[in-house]
Amino acid sequence: MNEEKRKEQKKRGIKRFINSFHYSWDGIKYAFKYEQSMFIHVLVTLLVVICGIIFKLNFHEWLLCIVLIGLVIATELINTAIEAVVDLACPEIHPLAKTAKDTAAAAVFVFAITAFLCGLFLFVPKIIALF
């Protein structure tokens, strides 16, 4: 892409600003439709919200849950973007393409495990207190 065309694309304005929300929403819809992991993350999010309501989480507990949910979902979206770019740049199987895709998936895995462990620390004592 030449510099003039790039400058034209990057012009500022209310229409471009509003369109950016549409593009973001398109990315979320794509990930939800085609990425099985995104569907699982959303199901777990619903479970966390339901448990948060049942166990009456306080402000800081909700804040922790919201941050962790956001990080896991954002990382999944970044992983999806990396996979798409790798597939575009390298349609054939290549060891470096595999490495890029695997490490992006590993980033999601690390965040998901971190969120899971924090969820255990948050909810297990509340569950135990019921008995």
Side-chain angles (χ1 to χ4, degrees):
M1 176 180 305
N2 67 32
E3 189 174 339
E4 285 302 315
K5 186 166 177 111
R6 178 83 176 142
K7 284 180 184 177
E8 183 65 28
Q9 272 189 333
K10 289 296 180 182
K11 279 189 177 178
R12 296 178 186 201
I14 191 70
K15 183 178 179 188
R16 185 169 187 276
F17 178 72
I18 291 169
N19 284 340
S20 69
F21 289 101
H22 293 293
Y23 303 143
S24 298
W25 185 246
D26 287 345
I28 290 169
K29 288 189 303 189
Y30 175 88
F32 189 74
K33 184 174 181 181
Y34 295 105
E35 296 297 326
Q36 181 178 341
S37 295
M38 183 60 82
F39 181 74
I40 293 167
H41 295 316
V42 170
L43 286 179
V44 171
T45 296
L46 291 174
L47 179 65
V48 168
V49 169
I50 291 166
C51 288
I53 292 167
I54 291 170
F55 291 112
K56 297 176 178 30
L57 296 184
N58 66 38
F59 175 80
H60 292 101
E61 293 167 333
W62 275 115
L63 189 61
L64 176 64
C65 289
I66 290 166
V67 168
L68 291 170
I69 289 166
L71 285 171
V72 170
I73 290 175
T75 309
E76 183 64 48
L77 291 167
I78 293 167
N79 178 49
T80 300
I82 290 170
E83 287 181 352
V85 170
V86 168
D87 289 345
L88 176 66
C90 187
E92 69 282 346
I93 296 172
H94 188 281
L96 289 176
K98 179 181 180 344
T99 299
K101 291 170 89 170
D102 289 352
T103 53
V108 178
F109 182 71
V110 168
F111 265 123
I113 293 298
T114 301
F116 176 75
L117 292 174
C118 289
L120 287 179
F121 284 115
L122 186 63
F123 287 108
V124 168
K126 294 177 183 300
I127 293 168
I128 291 172
L130 291 175
F131 299 104

